[in-house]
Amino acid sequence: MKEERVEDRLLQLLRTVAPGTPLREGLENILRAKTGALIVIGDSPEVMEIAEGGFAVNAEFTPANLYELAKMDGAIIISSDLKRILAANTQLIPNLSIPSTETGIRHRTAERVAKQTGAMVISISQRRGVITIYKGNLKYVLRDVGVILAKANQAIQTLEKYRSVLDRVVKQLSILEFEEAVTLFDVSRAIQRVEMVLRVVKEIEKYISELGIEGRLITMQLEELVTGVEHEGLLIIRDYATAADRSPGTILAMINSWPAEDLLDLSLIARALGYPGSTSILDQSVSPRGYRILDKIPRLPLPVIENMVKEFGSLQKILNASIEELDAVEGIGEARARSIKEGLARYREQLLQEGRN
């Protein structure tokens, strides 16, 4: 969870300075002029306590104003909402005992101020022409938009391959569910593939945040590729998890927090679902409750699906139930019972047809 919060904070920082924002325009102007700058976003008491001298500006924030004020030495302090430039030519005096890995004075000051105050601090190197962002213990060096676009496009291609593999694995799982031939290996592999897709998505979201308006096409491609993936993963977990004290969302979040090498161990995923044992547990036969397959039937509300699972307990019992038995479930009339039977038969035939092609 801590890892996730760090990731969220980084995404927020990247969106603040993304191309298309007034702040990024001002930073780019400073970069092109090769003047360098030290900018603090935030006027908390912690920031103001370590600021000395300079000029109280209290002017509207515009890219042009930021650029002009950066021609002076010292730091610029901007309000947290990025609407006002509060001070310029200010000397920042952070606690020198705070450790810093930087070598240049400007960057060392920026890192210490960020750690001491928790504010977002931006340092622009006059000599190297690099924009570095600090906040707390976070540090991020902004990259050229062309480089990020290339990496984002490469990540989209990887995502396409991962999504294709996921679709095949999930389709195979569905066929096995109809045939009563599912093992924990099949279930764990499907969840593993869902998580692999979601990890690539997180990487692409970071690129999109950094690209700003330049990332619109990547955003559209991403939305198209990941539709329904997390929902599918949660339904698989709901079908098979035996850990009553953990919700599907909690289990997926736990798997999401694992290092990459743990994700490769399918037996760990099986144990996360609540199945005890060693590697051999992957050969264990299991039966789905039916949430995911029933979700494939159009216009079948979740409360009705929950009533069916509660009544019958497993997908196979639902498949074997007569129209009269389905009709007896709360929320299902005779017409809906017939449409459920027909929908399940149609989906099964579709899977078999696709398997033959």
Side-chain angles (χ1 to χ4, degrees), residues 15-292:
R15 292 186 190 109
T16 303
V17 295
T21 60
L23 178 58
R24 182 58 174 265
E25 185 183 341
L27 298 180
E28 294 285 359
N29 289 340
I30 296 168
L31 206 60
R32 282 192 290 270
K34 300 185 184 301
T35 55
L38 180 59
I39 301 164
V40 182
I41 312 296
D43 53 339
S44 65
E46 290 82 4
V47 171
M48 304 315 289
E49 279 175 11
I50 61 171
E52 285 189 3
F55 305 101
V57 178
N58 197 22
E60 178 189 0
F61 173 83
T62 66
N65 285 347
L66 181 64
Y67 165 66
E68 292 297 334
L69 291 169
K71 293 177 181 177
M72 294 188 287
D73 291 333
I76 298 170
I77 300 176
I78 302 174
S79 62
S80 300
D81 58 8
L82 291 169
K83 291 184 177 178
R84 310 290 295 177
I85 299 177
L86 304 176
N89 197 31
T90 299
Q91 184 73 24
L92 297 176
I93 309 176
N95 187 340
L96 297 180
S97 65
I98 296 172
S100 174
T101 57
E102 301 291 356
T103 53
I105 295 174
R106 182 182 285 135
H107 285 69
R108 198 157 58 236
T109 301
E111 185 177 22
R112 284 174 172 151
V113 169
K115 287 180 177 179
Q116 183 171 337
T117 67
M120 176 178 174
V121 186
I122 302 169
S123 178
I124 302 178
S125 170
Q126 182 175 353
R127 183 170 53 85
R128 292 184 296 136
V130 174
I131 301 173
T132 309
I133 306 169
Y134 304 88
K135 186 174 174 66
N137 291 318
L138 275 177
K139 172 188 173 181
Y140 195 85
V141 179
L142 290 185
R143 295 166 292 181
D144 180 79
V145 170
V147 173
I148 305 164
L149 264 177
K151 287 183 176 291
N153 282 312
Q154 189 176 14
I156 284 287
Q157 291 173 11
T158 301
L159 181 60
E160 287 174 343
K161 293 174 185 174
Y162 278 25
R163 180 63 200 259
S164 178
V165 174
L166 171 62
D167 289 344
R168 286 201 304 272
V169 168
V170 169
K171 192 180 297 178
Q172 181 64 28
L173 178 63
S174 298
I175 292 170
L176 293 171
E177 286 178 343
F178 277 111
E179 296 175 348
E180 290 185 89
V182 182
T183 65
L184 271 177
F185 170 82
D186 305 305
V187 176
S188 300
R189 183 176 59 158
I191 295 171
Q192 178 198 56
R193 285 292 165 180
V194 167
E195 177 57 27
M196 288 172 74
V197 168
L198 294 178
R199 290 192 182 200
V200 179
V201 169
K202 284 178 71 174
E203 189 67 25
I204 296 172
E205 284 175 345
K206 197 189 321 181
Y207 293 138
I208 289 171
S209 296
E210 195 169 349
L211 285 168
I213 59 172
E214 303 293 337
R216 286 171 293 192
L217 183 58
I218 301 292
T219 302
M220 289 189 288
Q221 290 175 285
L222 179 65
E223 288 174 355
E224 185 178 349
L225 283 168
V226 299
T227 300
V229 169
E230 186 171 356
H231 180 64
E232 190 93 24
L234 290 171
L235 288 174
I236 294 171
I237 293 172
R238 196 169 188 183
D239 265 343
Y240 293 98
T242 63
D245 59 330
R246 295 197 295 264
S247 68
T250 301
I251 293 172
L252 189 60
M254 179 176 66
I255 295 170
N256 179 256
S257 69
W258 290 353
E261 55 270 21
D262 284 358
L263 187 61
L264 298 177
D265 188 345
L266 294 180
S267 63
L268 285 178
I269 297 176
R271 285 200 283 275
L273 293 174
Y275 297 89
S278 59
T279 310
S280 59
I281 61 172
L282 295 176
D283 298 326
Q284 180 179 329
S285 295
V286 285
S287 298
R289 296 182 175 92
Y291 286 105
R292 191 178 63 85

